[in-house]
Structure formats: structure tokens, C-alpha cells
């Protein structure tokens, strides 16, 4: 990979798309019954449509933000899962109310 042409993050994102994954599978010898493998010699032969390098870098920065947001959301969901039962207990489980 030439770092003047493509960023690793952009390439990873491309190869995860249906088009990119199809390119990898198409260049991997073997069958479904046998392991399909992509050799280091065939990988550079796969053509990848690449936008300008600055666009790729901006894409990589946006992907990093998305990862951070997903991490924050997951942590928030865990916090909410712990907080909601405590709030319900505080509101309804005090035992000092008669129905």
C-alpha cells in the first residue's frame, strides 16, 4: 500500500463494502468447500476506487468520531440499565406507601 494514495482506514472500510468484499473473494482461489485465501501477491492487484487523499483522511476522522460516539452510547446504555432499576426501587420500592 502506498500511503500517498490511500489510508488504511479507507481501505478497510472499502473492503467491508459488498463491492470490496466481492473483489477480495473474486481474487481468492479456492472453493466454498476449500478455504479461499488471498495471497499477498494478489492483494495489490485488486483495484480500489480511491478519492483524493484529503477526502480519505476526512473520512477516517469521521469514522473515528463514529467509533467514539458508539463507545459513549454503549457506556450510556450500561449506565441507564443500572440506573433505571435503582430509580424504580426509589419510587416504588420504598415500602412506606399503602395501596
Amino acid at each position: 500500500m502506498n500511503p500517498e494514495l490511500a489510508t488504511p482506514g479507507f481501505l478497510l472500510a472499502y473492503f467491508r463494502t459488498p463491492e470490496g468484499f466481492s473483489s477480495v473473494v473474486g481474487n481468492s482461489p479456492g472453493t466454498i468447500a476449500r478455504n479461499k485465501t488471498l495471497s499477498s501477491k494478489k492483494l495489490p492487484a485488486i483495484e480500489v476506487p480511491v478519492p483524493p487523499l484529503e477526502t480519505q483522511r476526512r473520512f477516517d476522522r469521521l469514522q473515528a468520531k463514529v467509533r467514539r460516539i458508539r463507545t459513549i452510547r454503549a457506556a450510556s446504555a450500561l449506565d441507564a440499565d443500572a440506573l433505571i432499576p435503582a430509580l424504580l426501587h426509589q419510587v416504588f420500592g420504598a415500602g412506606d406507601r399503602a395501596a
Side-chain angles (χ1 to χ4, degrees), residues 14-87:
Y14 172 74
F15 286 126
R16 287 181 169 171
T17 66
E19 178 184 337
F21 187 73
S22 179
S23 296
V24 170
V25 171
N27 283 286
S28 302
T31 64
I32 298 295
R34 271 184 98 197
N35 289 341
K36 293 179 83 56
T37 56
L38 179 64
S39 72
S40 60
K41 291 178 184 175
K42 286 203 171 216
L43 181 60
I46 296 175
E47 290 188 27
V48 177
V50 291
L53 197 54
E54 187 49 43
T55 302
Q56 294 177 57
R57 289 179 180 143
R58 186 166 40 98
F59 174 82
D60 290 346
R61 289 189 299 270
L62 289 172
Q63 288 288 83
K65 286 181 183 180
V66 167
R67 283 191 300 274
R68 285 193 301 272
I69 289 168
R70 286 184 175 153
T71 299
I72 291 168
R73 285 184 64 202
S76 296
L78 289 174
D79 290 345
D81 287 345
L83 182 60
I84 290 172
L87 288 172

Side-chain angles (χ1 to χ4, degrees), residues 83-97:
L83 182 60
I84 290 172
L87 288 172
L88 289 172
H89 177 74
Q90 183 179 359
V91 172
F92 299 108
D96 59 352
R97 297 197 173 121

